[in-house]
């Protein structure tokens, strides 16, 4: 996101504190002074990893600190989950299986490791899905379960409920 | 306290030998197996009954049936440990009903009747003012029901997750540790006597599902049936699945899961962290109970075996004696 703040000492720290207060993780900061500008404010770009539901909290905190948020960039997909699929994964159109998740727009397959022991034997794949939120993850998993059922693939899910 | 034992196989003989060895204050007045029976209200010599069974395959005389023991012997509590029939619950179901009707306490290791007719049996017991206890039906030696009813009383039980079948856990442990295929691990489990000739009931998750039904009905009075459980077994797992899980510090275990808030009753192989308390090895069982006050608790122990199962039966008997049988 791109932030605008007063060009006075201490303002950068002031702007970053709300991020950690909201439980966010700062991945990168780009802070470039433009010497020619006559503006009394400076622009800072930060990349933040944050649970989706905390975003309104963070925006509220910025507001209270007098930080103006100029732009919120593309949200990263922060929720990830790995599952294992067993069956005739290739012959049941793997790209279609992956596409069912990718085309949702709220989740995507970010990693796939596949082992194919012998022709005709079932293959095994570990598939990692990323999503924007827990509820998006639940929807993505529902889609995958439906696809797996139709294609007669066994899905081994992680035991998540107990975390 | 006087007891009668129906079923003189592995568990029945285990119970008899523990009573013979320890001074627990328990007198056996009746025993029956599928072919014979013996009644002696002054107390049967257990050493002789065990010897008779070993040499002749019978515990008593062919003329005496299980129903004769139920109706004619003088006892406070019936121990019902005949083989399980998951479809009908018989003959155990009839045995238990008859004993309750006679106003006797019942202790059983038999999953069939408890999974099929829990509500009916409990209300019959309540009407007669007697106890029906079934500690040995789930997780063998592990005193899960005593823990739930007494140690955790006052807690709300939020969820149960468990490794409830030793055969499946043994197979998965071996696939994991040695990279065996499912078939190889199954052959090994059979050779060691951990898997039956027809392992379907265990490896397809049915046994786990039955235990989950018993837990769910006992804890939440859900009146659930086997058909309410979504079941996936371990028979289609590949060694590669365990390897891919292992690459991420995980393994795979068959987990029975009950979360009534989500309407969830499910048995399925699951990816689980290596250091999770439910990851136990060999034929061990483990259950994690999630509660509102105590938080999560995990209890681990032997899920099968003659003496181990007898431990649970004896625990139930002594509980009944101490709490419900006057002057015993």
């Amino acid at each position: 996101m791109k932030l605008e703040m007063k060009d006075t000492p201490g303002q950068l720290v002031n702007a970053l504190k709300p991020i950690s207060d909201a439980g966010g993780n700062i991945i990168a900061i780009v802070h470039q002074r433009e010497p020619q500008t006559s503006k009394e404010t400076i622009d800072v770009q930060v990349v933040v990893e944050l649970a989706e539901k905390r975003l309104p909290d963070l925006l509220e905190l910025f507001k209270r600190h007098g930080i103006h948020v100029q732009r919120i960039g593309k949200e990263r997909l922060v929720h990830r989950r790995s599952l294992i699929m067993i069956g005739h994964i290739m012959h049941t159109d793997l790209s279609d299986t992956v596409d069912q998740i990718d085309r949702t727009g709220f989740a995507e397959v970010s990693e796939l490791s596949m082992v194919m022991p012998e022709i005709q034997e079932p293959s095994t794949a570990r598939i990692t899905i990323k999503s924007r939120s827990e509820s998006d993850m639940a929807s993505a998993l529902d889609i995958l379960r439906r696809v797996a059922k139709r294609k007669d693939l066994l899905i081994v899910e992680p035991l998540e409920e107990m975390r | 306290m006087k007891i009668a034992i129906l079923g003189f196989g592995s568990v029945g003989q285990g119970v008899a030998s523990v009573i013979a060895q320890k001074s627990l204050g328990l007198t056996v007045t009746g025993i029956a197996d599928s072919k014979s029976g013996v009644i002696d209200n002054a107390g049967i010599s257990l050493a002789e009954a065990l010897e008779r069974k070993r040499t002749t395959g019978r515990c008593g005389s062919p003329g005496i049936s299980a129903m004769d023991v139920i109706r004619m012997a003088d006892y406070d509590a019936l121990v019902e440990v005949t083989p399980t029939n998951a479809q009908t619950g018989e003959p155990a179901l009839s045995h238990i009903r008859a004993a309750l009707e006679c106003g006797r306490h019942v202790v059983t290791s038999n999953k069939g009747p408890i999974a099929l007719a829990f509500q009916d049996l409990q209300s019959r017991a309540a009407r007669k003012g007697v106890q029906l206890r079934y500690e040995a039906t789930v997780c063998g030696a592990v005193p899960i029901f005593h823990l739930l009813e007494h140690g955790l009383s006052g807690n709300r039980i939020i969820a149960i997750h468990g490794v409830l079948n030793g055969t499946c856990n043994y197979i998965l442990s071996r696939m994991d540790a040695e990279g065996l295929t499912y078939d190889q691990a199954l052959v090994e489990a059979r050779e060691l006597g951990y898997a039956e000739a027809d392992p379907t009931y265990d490896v397809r998750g049915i046994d786990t599902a039955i235990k989950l039904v018993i837990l769910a009905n006992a804890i939440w009075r859900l009146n659930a049936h086997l058909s309410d459980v979504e079941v996936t077994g371990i028979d289609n797992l590949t060694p590669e699945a365990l390897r891919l899980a292992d690459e991420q510090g995980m393994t795979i275990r068959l987990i029975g899961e009950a979360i009534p808030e989500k309407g969830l009753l499910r048995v399925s192989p699951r990816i689980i962290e290596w250091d999770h308390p439910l990851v136990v090895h060999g034929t061990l069982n483990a259950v994690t109970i999630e509660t509102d006050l105590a938080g999560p608790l995990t209890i681990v122990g032997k899920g099968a075996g003659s003496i181990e199962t007898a431990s649970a039966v004896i625990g139930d008997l002594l509980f009944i004696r101490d709490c419900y049988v006057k002057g015993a």
Side-chain angles (χ1 to χ4, degrees):
Chain A
M1 53 181 69
K2 196 169 181 184
L3 308 174
E4 187 184 48
M5 62 196 75
K6 284 200 194 99
D7 190 9
T8 54
Q11 273 297 348
L12 186 58
V13 174
N14 198 17
L16 298 184
K17 194 168 176 301
I19 297 172
S20 58
D21 289 349
N25 182 27
I26 299 165
I27 292 170
I29 303 172
V30 181
H31 173 207
Q32 226 168 14
R33 279 175 173 280
E34 292 167 39
Q36 263 77 36
T37 182
S38 57
K39 272 167 70 178
E40 289 181 349
T41 58
I42 55 164
D43 293 342
V44 176
Q45 286 186 47
V46 287
V47 179
V48 175
E49 193 177 72
L50 183 75
E52 188 191 36
K53 59 183 182 208
R54 300 301 304 271
L55 188 60
D57 296 348
L58 178 59
L59 296 180
E60 179 58 36
L61 281 170
F62 276 143
K63 209 165 152 187
R64 248 185 279 157
H65 282 75
I67 311 289
H68 177 63
V69 178
Q70 285 188 318
R71 188 164 60 82
I72 298 177
K74 196 179 164 212
E75 288 161 24
R76 290 163 54 114
L77 304 172
V78 290
H79 291 268
R80 54 158 55 223
R81 198 154 306 173
S82 294
L83 301 93
I84 287 174
M85 284 197 299
I86 300 170
H88 296 288
I89 299 168
M90 284 296 278
H91 299 300
T92 54
D93 197 349
L94 176 61
S95 61
D96 167 72
T97 306
V98 171
D99 189 48
Q100 299 271 348
I101 304 291
D102 285 355
R103 72 166 174 235
T104 59
F106 56 71
E108 64 183 44
V109 173
S110 69
E111 216 185 296
L112 191 79
S113 308
M114 188 146 109
V115 189
M116 291 179 286
E118 275 169 61
I119 296 169
Q120 301 303 325
E121 288 294 301
S123 40
T124 307
R126 186 182 62 227
I127 177 169
T128 302
I129 297 174
K130 281 186 173 182
S131 75
R132 292 183 314 199
S133 68
E134 265 309 313
S135 62
D136 287 343
M137 181 63 76
S139 311
L141 292 182
D142 274 344
I143 292 169
L144 191 63
R145 280 187 206 113
R146 267 206 306 278
V147 172
K149 195 163 186 179
R150 185 158 49 79
K151 298 184 175 182
D152 199 22
L153 303 174
L154 170 64
I155 297 265
V156 183
E157 293 180 36
L159 189 63
E160 291 286 340
E161 284 80 4
M162 308 176 64
R163 294 252 179 93
Chain B
M1 180 170 77
K2 289 179 176 171
I3 67 165
I5 302 172
L6 299 189
F8 214 50
S10 161
V11 180
Q13 291 176 48
V15 171
S17 58
V18 170
I19 292 173
Q21 281 161 30
K22 294 191 163 204
S23 316
L24 299 171
L26 298 173
T27 305
V28 181
T29 58
I31 305 175
D33 54 27
S34 56
K35 289 173 254 158
S36 67
V38 51
I39 298 173
D40 183 345
N41 290 339
I44 296 163
S45 160
L46 294 173
E48 282 172 25
L50 287 163
E51 179 60 20
R52 223 172 17 248
K53 181 75 182 179
R54 201 178 61 79
T55 52
T56 68
R58 290 176 179 151
C59 68
S61 331
I64 300 173
S65 72
M67 277 300 176
D68 293 336
V69 170
I70 294 169
R71 299 205 170 104
M72 284 146 60
D74 173 24
Y75 62 95
D76 302 294
L78 178 77
V79 174
E80 214 307 334
V81 290
T82 59
T84 286
N85 180 322
Q87 272 81 48
T88 65
E90 294 296 356
L93 193 52
S94 301
H95 294 164
I96 294 173
R97 281 186 180 137
L100 293 174
E101 222 40 55
C102 297
R104 311 296 166 82
H105 304 290
V106 174
V107 171
T108 187
S109 63
N110 206 315
K111 294 185 283 285
I114 302 298
L116 288 166
F118 181 72
Q119 231 175 24
D120 170 66
L121 296 177
Q122 278 294 8
S123 60
R124 282 168 193 260
R127 265 205 308 278
K128 291 286 180 175
V130 292
Q131 286 286 302
L132 168 67
R133 300 203 59 89
Y134 43 86
E135 186 64 82
T137 55
V138 178
C139 289
V142 177
I144 175 129
F145 293 107
H146 282 274
L147 178 64
L148 286 162
E149 286 165 37
H150 306 114
L152 292 172
S153 59
N155 278 267
R156 184 169 66 86
I157 310 299
I158 300 162
I160 292 270
H161 287 88
V163 169
L164 307 175
N165 183 278
T167 308
C168 290
N169 205 64
Y170 181 82
I171 291 170
L172 293 174
S173 297
R174 295 296 292 164
M175 287 176 76
D176 213 339
E178 306 295 333
L180 300 182
T181 64
Y182 166 77
D183 290 322
Q184 289 167 336
L186 176 60
V187 166
E188 198 184 84
R190 271 207 196 110
E191 281 170 3
L192 290 165
Y194 296 151
E196 291 173 34
D198 176 8
T200 314
Y201 184 73
D202 291 316
V203 300
R204 293 261 169 94
I206 303 159
D207 177 67
T208 303
I210 289 172
K211 290 166 178 168
L212 199 62
V213 165
I214 294 175
L215 281 167
N217 289 347
I219 298 169
W220 298 292
R221 310 282 151 172
L222 289 185
N223 202 16
H225 295 275
L226 187 55
S227 56
D228 299 324
V229 187
E230 188 191 324
V231 187
T232 309
I234 62 162
D235 45 339
N236 288 320
L237 289 181
T238 56
E240 294 80 29
L242 284 139
R243 209 176 74 219
L244 287 168
D246 189 58
E247 283 175 11
Q248 297 195 322
M250 317 276 269
T251 183
I252 297 176
R253 288 293 187 266
L254 185 70
I255 304 289
E257 169 179 45
I259 311 175
E261 267 174 20
K262 296 185 185 173
L264 197 67
L265 281 176
R266 176 153 74 145
V267 174
S268 56
R270 303 291 278 274
I271 307 173
I272 180 169
E273 281 102 344
W274 261 115
D275 57 2
H276 193 286
L278 278 182
V279 178
V280 291
H281 297 275
T283 57
L284 283 177
N285 283 193
V287 185
T288 298
I289 307 161
E290 211 166 310
T291 67
D292 63 341
L293 305 177
L297 266 111
T298 300
I299 178 164
V300 177
K302 291 193 178 170
S306 166
I307 299 297
E308 290 83 353
T309 308
S311 162
V313 171
I314 299 280
D316 276 346
L317 285 171
L318 298 184
F319 173 80
I320 288 173
R321 182 193 64 189
D322 296 344
C323 299
Y324 297 95
V325 179
K326 290 186 185 73

